[in-house]
Amino acid sequence: GQPHFSAHSPGRRAFGSNKSYMHLMPLAPALTQSTPQRTAVIGGGIAGLACARRLQQLGHEAVCFDTGKHAPGGRCSSRTWPGGATVDHAAQYATARSASFSALMKELETEGLVKQWPARVVALEGGAAAVPVEGDAVRYVGADGMGGIAAALARGLDVRQDVWVPPNGGITYESDGMWRLRLPSGAGDDCRFDAVVIAHNGKCAERLTSSVPARDVHSLLRTRFAASLPGGGREGGGVFTLNSVYSLAFEAPAGVMPSDFDAAEVRGGPLRWLANNAAKYAPADGGGEVWTALSTGAFGKAHKVPQEQLAGTEAEAEVTAKLLRAVEAAVGLEPEALKPLRTRLQLWGAALPLCRWDDPYVWDAEHRIGIAGDWCAASAEHAATVEGAFLSGEALANHLAATPAQPAGLSLGADGGRFVPIEGAFGGAPGQPSWVQPAEAGGGRGGGRGGGGRGGG
């Protein structure tokens, strides 16, 4: 399974050149009078960037709002370590199985913005000998970190960086059918939009849509946090579920960590993934190797604290120590043999989806609001992947431009869509596909349904 996952005043930012990738994508049909012309994309991860980019290619104005302080990308991000090393602390690589994403990766590879990572991946369990993991998937990484993929997608886009659209009352559907965003000072006064795309998830997305008339959109964004899915599905009990994962980056002196693999799927204990960033990028000055260790969802849940309350606390020291001991056990080192030169701990509180909505995107045609994300996937192979996020955002943009009067992916109830368990490496568990109660049946506030159609790819 693929592991899925960097200050200034808020404001506009257009990233890089305006180079078009129109030759990589099929053209949508001609725009119609009913087509929204100005779209707010809330969330600057891969899904949001792909959606905004495709809309712009099709002649629309798209504004992307991202909470990241330094750059867009969400979980597809990287940071610079002291000494200059590049560290991927969330998404570890991307695979490309679809024609569209494969074409993008090859184009960016030609430009020198991404590269293939011929990683030696093994399975580790309890200090036993490493077992090579077979597979023919081509792994791509940014030329200087996974954040480079997001930066490439953001080129030429209107990205409002470090902008928080308030979860309570941040978007309002007005009487004339337009959407109004309540933006912080400095983020721009042009706050009315024809359409809104929700390209992030978790409790913020749930709260953001809690008072809008698109009640079924809100029903799909209701979020549960857990390390695994319930063993049995309850009829009408489908709920989007996310886990929490700790990411520990640590710099080990040269020669301490094994040299016979680049990355490992760890089985048993609190770790799930371990990778040597020096196998992807230039090592840190001084010769140390910076490794990334990702925890299981169960460990993340057991030790979860608010990220903003983590730095400098006893919880940070405790979690760091536990994960370092787990690394030692996994690679066969003696306890406390690993004495890192420095560490950096981060909790991804809304890390990976444990279930997928079985449509690639959602579109409420009545209210002109949609959803895109790595958890919207008609096929299992794209769920919870960088590629899946890209395909979801791109597909929603194509639908919005071509057939905005047609609802998609919003069929709820017993005869509608399902939340399907993801058999993933980071906490996916066997379960039953579960349908979602429509807002009327669930007693939701407000009126209006987005329509009952189901979207295609």
Side-chain angles (χ1 to χ4, degrees), residues 165-457:
V165 180
N168 295 323
I171 59 173
T172 305
Y173 188 70
E174 302 195 313
S175 59
D176 62 355
M178 297 285 286
W179 287 94
R180 180 179 295 276
L181 269 64
R182 182 160 60 90
L183 302 174
S185 175
D189 299 323
D190 45 347
C191 57
R192 275 170 51 89
F193 296 86
D194 299 285
V196 169
V197 169
I198 307 297
H200 73 132
N201 53 38
K203 288 297 181 182
C204 289
E206 178 180 342
R207 289 165 56 196
L208 188 65
T209 56
S210 62
S211 298
V212 304
R215 302 310 306 149
D216 285 349
V217 167
H218 174 65
S219 293
L220 289 178
L221 289 171
R222 290 185 303 117
T223 303
R224 171 179 176 264
F225 289 93
S228 61
L229 296 174
R234 179 172 61 85
E235 286 297 307
V239 177
F240 177 50
T241 305
L242 286 163
N243 70 6
S244 299
V245 169
Y246 271 104
S247 170
L248 175 66
F250 63 93
E251 183 178 351
V256 173
M257 291 290 288
S259 60
D260 56 346
F261 64 85
D262 302 319
E265 298 176 2
V266 185
R267 298 166 184 173
L271 280 187
R272 192 59 188 88
W273 176 261
L274 183 63
N276 183 3
N277 291 279
K280 302 179 184 179
Y281 317 113
D285 291 346
E289 295 176 341
V290 185
W291 289 69
T292 298
L294 300 179
S295 80
T296 62
F299 182 88
K301 179 182 179 180
H303 300 276
K304 188 174 183 178
V305 296
Q307 173 65 29
E308 63 273 13
Q309 298 176 19
L310 186 61
T313 65
E314 291 184 6
E316 180 185 41
E318 178 186 358
V319 170
T320 297
K322 287 180 180 292
L323 292 177
L324 288 175
R325 301 296 81 79
V327 171
E328 293 164 346
V331 303
L333 292 175
E334 292 294 324
E336 300 194 15
L338 185 56
K339 301 184 183 303
L341 303 176
R342 54 178 61 87
T343 62
R344 175 73 180 268
L345 182 69
Q346 179 169 349
L347 174 67
W348 292 97
L352 292 170
L354 301 186
C355 54
R356 61 180 174 90
W357 183 241
D358 61 352
D359 278 286
Y361 57 90
V362 171
W363 177 245
D364 179 333
E366 180 182 352
H367 302 103
R368 293 181 172 184
I369 183 170
I371 305 171
D374 66 342
W375 58 279
C376 298
S379 66
E381 69 175 0
H382 294 140
T385 66
V386 175
E387 180 178 23
F390 173 87
L391 294 175
S392 177
E394 181 187 70
L396 175 55
N398 284 334
H399 181 96
L400 191 158
T403 53
Q406 178 180 333
L410 202 54
S411 179
L412 307 190
D415 296 326
R418 295 289 192 275
F419 274 112
V420 181
I422 297 173
E423 297 290 343
F426 279 79
Q432 298 298 318
S434 300
W435 53 273
V436 179
Q437 289 281 0
E440 292 88 345
R445 290 176 293 157
R449 288 193 63 190
R454 297 192 64 195

Side-chain angles (χ1 to χ4, degrees), residues 103-124:
L104 175 65
M105 289 296 99
K106 290 175 182 176
E107 177 75 11
L108 297 182
E109 186 178 16
T110 299
E111 291 189 69
L113 299 176
V114 305
K115 62 183 181 181
Q116 296 185 26
W117 180 36
R120 300 170 298 159
V121 181
V122 301
L124 297 175

Side-chain angles (χ1 to χ4, degrees), residues 97-168:
R97 295 179 172 89
S98 63
S100 178
F101 195 64
S102 294
L104 175 65
M105 289 296 99
K106 290 175 182 176
E107 177 75 11
L108 297 182
E109 186 178 16
T110 299
E111 291 189 69
L113 299 176
V114 305
K115 62 183 181 181
Q116 296 185 26
W117 180 36
R120 300 170 298 159
V121 181
V122 301
L124 297 175
E125 185 169 5
V131 178
V133 173
E134 303 296 335
D136 57 1
V138 176
R139 298 177 177 90
Y140 289 95
V141 297
D144 192 25
M146 288 298 291
I149 297 177
L153 288 177
R155 291 183 298 178
L157 300 182
D158 184 356
V159 178
R160 310 290 172 90
Q161 201 64 48
D162 196 10
V163 173
W164 182 260
V165 180
N168 295 323

